[in-house]
Amino acid sequence: LIHKYIQNGFTNFRRAHNLQTEFDYSLTSVMNKGLKILKYHDQCKMSAQDKENEIFQWEKSLDESLPNGYYVKEYFTVHFKFFDPIRITNEILSSSDLHSINSNDIKYSMGCLLYSYHNKICNCWINIVLLVKQ
């Protein structure tokens, strides 16, 4: 659900500026793995050194999973302590400029991790990667 809201936000912005938008969901499982590392570290279940090692391994697996002819130019990770897809999309669009890159030779990939607690409270982690054609 959240993927569609963010994808629509990016697409609508880019369409208004005559830019193509393509999302590649083949990297979703790799993206979600990186979010799990951040979540576990955030909950103090991982030392800073272990986090650094895990992130390094995750970035390596991300690089190995990229579509042919693309490289990671930038990635953007956000953490929210609520789940409201419209509010989250607006926050991402206002705090990042990934959607406004003036090129048609790019793709986006996204991962999302939603972790709910018993009192209708949740943590939402989102990772968006900007892929650029080489």
Side-chain angles (χ1 to χ4, degrees), residues 6 11-12 24-25 29 32 47 51 59 71 75 81 86 93 96 104 106-107 111 116 118 121 128:
I6 296 169
T11 301
N12 291 340
D24 183 338
Y25 286 102
S29 63
N32 289 343
S47 71
K51 176 189 173 190
E59 288 175 340
Y71 69 95
Y75 65 87
K81 294 187 178 185
I86 295 170
L93 291 173
S96 164
N104 286 321
I106 61 173
K107 289 184 182 184
S116 60
H118 63 279
I121 298 171
I128 302 171

Side-chain angles (χ1 to χ4, degrees), residues 45-129:
K45 294 183 180 180
M46 185 184 296
S47 71
Q49 182 63 44
D50 287 344
K51 176 189 173 190
E52 186 176 316
N53 292 338
E54 290 285 329
I55 292 289
F56 177 78
Q57 290 300 320
W58 170 74
E59 288 175 340
K60 184 177 175 184
S61 67
L62 177 61
D63 286 341
E64 292 169 353
S65 303
L66 293 175
N68 287 337
Y70 284 86
Y71 69 95
V72 173
K73 175 159 178 133
E74 184 177 348
Y75 65 87
F76 178 75
T77 304
V78 288
H79 174 223
F80 299 97
K81 294 187 178 185
F82 57 86
F83 183 73
D84 175 348
I86 295 170
R87 186 174 162 199
I88 288 173
T89 300
N90 290 336
E91 291 277 338
I92 289 172
L93 291 173
S94 67
S95 63
S96 164
D97 64 350
L98 290 179
H99 59 285
S100 62
I101 304 296
N102 191 12
S103 173
N104 286 321
D105 292 332
I106 61 173
K107 289 184 182 184
Y108 299 97
S109 189
M110 184 177 359
C112 180
L113 177 64
L114 186 63
Y115 188 80
S116 60
Y117 297 94
H118 63 279
N119 292 345
K120 297 184 181 180
I121 298 171
C122 70
N123 278 323
C124 181
W125 295 83
I126 298 170
N127 201 345
I128 302 171
V129 172

